[in-house]
Amino acid sequence: MPSRGRGEGQGGASRPTKIEFVSPDVIVIGAGAIGTSTAYQLAKAGLKVMVLDRGRVGGEATGASAGMIQLNPDRGTPPAFSALGAESARLFTALAAELLERTGIDIGYRRASLLHVTLDEAEEAQLRAHRAWQVDQGMSVGWLDGAAAVDVEPALNPGVRAALLYEDHYQILPRVLAQALARAATDLGAAVLEGAAADRLLIQGDRVVGVAVGGETIRSPETVIANGTWASAWSNTLQTPIPVRPVRGQMVALSTSATPLRHAVSSNSGYVLTKADGSTIVGTTVEEVGFDARPTAAGIAGLLALASRLVPRLADATVLSAWAGLRPGTPDRLPLLGRPPGWDGIVLATGHFREGILLAPITGELVLDLVARRRPRLPLDAFDPGRFLVRAA
Ligand SMILES: Cc1cc2nc3c(=O)[nH]c(=O)nc-3n(C[C@H](O)[C@H](O)[C@H](O)COP(=O)(O)OP(=O)(O)OC[C@H]3O[C@@H](n4cnc5c(N)ncnc54)[C@H](O)[C@@H]3O)c2cc1C
């Protein structure tokens, strides 16, 4: 059974054996990027926070992710979502410095200008139209012909026909982000419990009043659901559809002694980038295979082929590891952020699909706004967890 503890383990979390008596102001279920960011913001605001994770801090989708932290919106992206992404990307600069200062942990926040390339003549027109729309929206996007693209990124396949250049893209080390947030929250008095599965929500009338964990109950005036793709499990208890589903993404890490890539290189089929730890990662697949987070032979083969197609010298790299994670997907690709209709004492913060690392800082701040019962700093209507209930009616 879990116990609270401070400052132990890699991420400032404890590997618990027994829960001592605690009465937190807020329980956060899930210690991925979303749960740890939320816990950090709540703890910074002076609230007593308990984070429960049935596994390890950053051990699921967060740890599996590439850690790119920019939205690449297109015509179909709702403006409210673009605003969320832009604000969260902006928050990372200060957050990275703050976490380094508080914890000594470097989350690997680095510029990783993105080159989105095409090797296909037919795709060129598509790329031009995409750029024209983005420029129209005020984004800064460069257009490079093949020779210019190879000039700025000499490792590229010389067959590249054209590329879009996004100078202002950044990346981080996502598992380290979650660990640093957990550590910072712990230092502010939060209890971050690993190996502590929330089994059941405690209900009193129309309020959630706590959580049952391994036969024990922890009471709390507020509970935040931040357990990623597993959040759908609370649908029945809350009598609200929480249509979050697992969408598997596979990744491969390569080691090469060659000069690191200057850019993150992406194409319509996936991406390659050099991380702050020196590895070159290749991603990713988008698969609907249920709760199966294992990489497959076909998935890995596809990624290796993509890597050497985009950057031919990677054919000589050695394979460090392969893994997969389950993104929390939703029917409209938007997160669920807010209180489920008719309920008090509970906030949902899940369904961040392919952007949960990017959106972690703003999500933490918005959940704090909701818990503090003040007006959220950005409009949340588009992310209302009740929207699926309305559609189902
Ligand atoms: C291959 C891949 C690449 C990606 N690349 C990017 C990227 O470049 N940029 C980006 O922004 N996003 C990216 N994403 C998406 C991003 O990883 C997710 O959106 C994000 O990690 C979701 O965070 P989360 O905290 O909601 O979920 P998770 O990280 O999955 O955390 C949920 C946590 O809840 C815990 N949990 C589950 N059930 C319970 C329970 N009952 N009780 C207690 N704990 C529980 C789990 O153990 C887990 O630790 C990528 C995802 C994948 C798979």
Side-chain angles (χ1 to χ4, degrees):
M1 278 187 291
S3 79
R4 74 178 299 209
R6 296 179 47 120
E8 302 153 33
Q10 221 187 341
S14 60
R15 200 157 252 299
T17 51
K18 184 177 180 318
I19 288 184
E20 290 163 18
F21 174 77
V22 277
S23 53
D25 299 317
V26 188
I27 295 171
V28 178
I29 302 177
I34 300 300
T36 53
S37 174
T38 297
Y40 174 56
Q41 291 302 331
L42 295 170
K44 220 165 67 158
L47 293 162
K48 268 196 292 175
V49 183
M50 176 182 277
V51 185
L52 305 171
D53 198 290
R54 68 177 184 192
R56 304 293 306 265
V57 169
E60 293 289 349
T62 293
S65 110
M68 291 187 284
I69 50 171
Q70 247 74 34
L71 203 60
N72 197 338
D74 59 26
R75 252 169 234 288
T77 311
F81 192 61
S82 295
L84 209 63
E87 179 60 3
S88 209
R90 197 185 65 75
L91 292 173
F92 259 105
T93 315
L95 181 65
E98 205 173 301
L99 290 174
L100 184 62
E101 163 92 22
R102 283 179 183 272
T103 66
I105 299 174
D106 175 2
I107 63 166
Y109 179 68
R110 306 277 186 276
R111 184 188 284 263
S113 300
L114 177 74
L115 268 181
H116 185 82
V117 307
T118 180
L119 287 121
D120 176 358
E121 193 179 350
E123 256 177 38
E124 261 188 73
Q126 225 184 324
L127 235 55
R128 274 189 200 281
H130 182 55
R131 173 174 182 263
W133 180 84
Q134 290 190 326
V135 168
D136 222 39
Q137 302 300 304
M139 290 176 64
S140 161
V141 191
W143 175 269
L144 304 180
D145 63 20
V150 175
D151 212 35
V152 298
E153 185 59 72
L156 273 186
N157 185 331
V160 160
R161 300 195 56 94
L164 301 182
L165 175 60
Y166 300 85
E167 294 275 11
D168 254 354
H169 270 226
Y170 287 79
Q171 59 160 310
I172 54 132
L173 295 167
R175 191 189 302 265
V176 179
L177 169 71
Q179 290 170 341
L181 287 164
R183 166 81 62 177
T186 305
D187 289 347
L188 288 162
V192 180
L193 309 183
E194 296 182 313
D199 299 325
R200 202 162 42 82
L201 298 176
L202 307 179
I203 306 292
Q204 238 170 43
D206 59 1
R207 285 194 69 88
V208 173
V209 294
V211 172
V213 184
E216 299 196 36
T217 58
I218 309 164
R219 296 182 76 83
S220 174
E222 291 280 6
T223 297
V224 179
I225 301 290
N227 62 326
T229 195
W230 296 272
S232 56
W234 311 114
S235 297
N236 283 349
T237 309
L238 298 173
Q239 296 166 341
T240 302
I242 305 177
V244 182
R245 66 180 198 286
V247 183
R248 184 168 70 189
Q250 302 191 39
M251 300 278 289
V252 175
L254 302 174
S255 171
T256 165
S257 53
T259 326
L261 293 171
R262 297 176 186 167
H263 302 80
V265 176
S266 72
S267 73
N268 284 353
S269 317
Y271 51 80
V272 179
L273 71 155
T274 304
K275 299 299 293 181
D277 64 6
S279 64
T280 297
I281 60 169
V282 191
T284 178
T285 60
V286 182
E287 305 161 82
E288 307 262 355
V289 291
F291 287 92
D292 182 349
R294 293 171 300 178
T296 62
I300 294 168
L303 293 174
L304 293 177
L306 171 76
S308 45
R309 186 162 148 76
L310 294 177
V311 179
R313 70 165 194 223
L314 288 177
D316 296 328
T318 52
V319 176
L320 286 173
S321 55
W323 65 88
L326 300 176
R327 309 174 182 95
T330 62
D332 56 9
R333 295 195 53 155
L334 300 177
L336 281 72
L337 256 179
R339 294 188 185 276
W343 287 97
D344 210 349
I346 184 155
V347 172
L348 299 188
T350 183
H352 293 74
F353 192 36
R354 299 192 74 168
E355 285 89 16
I357 305 304
L358 163 65
L359 296 175
I362 190 67
T363 300
E365 297 205 2
L366 289 165
V367 173
L368 170 61
D369 288 342
L370 291 166
V371 167
R373 296 183 188 276
R374 59 187 186 220
R375 193 157 165 238
R377 57 189 284 175
L378 289 175
L380 291 181
D381 305 341
F383 316 116
D384 180 2
R387 67 191 186 273
F388 302 106
L389 193 61
V390 173
R391 280 179 198 170

